[in-house]
Amino acid sequence: VLLSAAFLSYAGCFNRRFRAALIGDSFLPFLQGPKRDLQMSEAADPLSILTDEAQVASWSNENLPADRVSIENGAIVTNCARWPLMIDPQLQGITWIKRREEAHGLVAIRLDAANMLRAMEEGMTGGNPVLLESMGESVDAIILPLLARQTVRRGRQNFVKLGDREVALEPSFRLYLQTKLSNPH
């Protein structure tokens, strides 16, 4: 479980080769160090904790490619606690998210769209997923409180400041961020 948590937290932005080196040369030697008494299986793999074969097959039906990196990315997107940023120059991830979330009322918008705030508010209050497409290297300050999950609780409801308004945040709301840039800063 600890290896999977480390993988979720740190490996998302790296390519296949660096992810393998991170797990094999950093995470596992640290966890199996001489001063640690941790029980681990021989073939410790974060994917064995984060997903199973049925879920991977479901993702495949939703057009997620079946290669190891895509499956790892799917596990990160579905298990992360923060809003995932998909570094997606080939547009495979965005295709998968659109197919995966279409039944839940996904709204795909761009930061520069005229109706971006309204669409974001509707998604937040209705609990519908929102996909911010083609993000650049900067983010509009209006959505920073949402990205940072700066919530205020009133009664049983959480609110987020979005522009000059406080908007109710339904627990089922999901935000996906996508960029075509291969190396965003």
Side-chain angles (χ1 to χ4, degrees):
V1 173
L2 188 57
L3 178 63
S4 298
F7 179 79
L8 278 176
S9 299
Y10 299 108
C13 61
F14 300 118
N15 63 22
R16 180 189 54 81
R17 189 175 340 140
F18 195 79
R19 285 180 184 181
L22 193 62
I23 291 171
D25 299 338
S26 295
F27 293 165
L28 285 175
F30 177 79
L31 294 172
Q32 296 169 337
K35 294 183 180 179
R36 289 171 192 76
D37 187 26
L38 299 175
Q39 299 288 327
M40 292 182 65
S41 61
E42 285 294 319
D45 181 15
L47 287 183
S48 65
I49 298 292
L50 298 173
T51 190
D52 57 27
E53 290 180 17
Q55 190 171 35
V56 171
S58 171
W59 294 343
S60 181
N61 289 337
E62 295 165 347
N63 292 343
L64 183 70
D67 62 283
R68 170 81 183 191
V69 173
S70 295
I71 293 170
E72 288 175 353
N73 291 341
I76 291 169
V77 166
T78 58
N79 288 289
C80 66
R82 298 196 177 266
W83 312 124
L85 169 63
M86 296 181 293
I87 301 169
D88 191 23
Q90 297 175 335
L91 303 178
Q92 293 175 327
I94 196 170
T95 303
W96 173 60
I97 289 297
K98 285 180 176 180
R99 179 87 184 262
R100 177 179 173 76
E101 295 289 357
E102 69 185 347
H104 302 109
L106 176 73
V107 176
I109 55 174
R110 293 176 183 249
L111 274 176
D112 58 358
N115 66 339
M116 189 270 297
L117 278 179
R118 184 178 53 78
M120 192 73 76
E121 286 179 22
E122 289 174 2
M124 291 168 61
T125 58
N128 299 326
V130 173
L131 170 65
L132 281 176
E133 295 181 294
S134 301
M135 295 191 60
E137 292 190 1
S138 62
V139 176
D140 194 338
I142 290 175
I143 66 166
L144 287 178
L146 176 62
L147 294 179
R149 292 190 188 230
Q150 295 174 343
T151 60
V152 176
R153 188 160 185 91
R154 292 205 181 97
R156 295 183 180 197
Q157 185 70 53
N158 284 327
F159 290 85
V160 173
K161 188 166 177 85
L162 194 63
D164 59 347
R165 299 182 50 191
E166 285 191 351
V167 180
L169 181 64
E170 285 296 316
S172 60
F173 172 74
R174 293 279 298 164
L175 177 64
Y176 300 96
L177 310 169
Q178 182 266 341
T179 183
K180 293 178 186 176
L181 302 173
S182 59
N183 190 17
H185 300 308

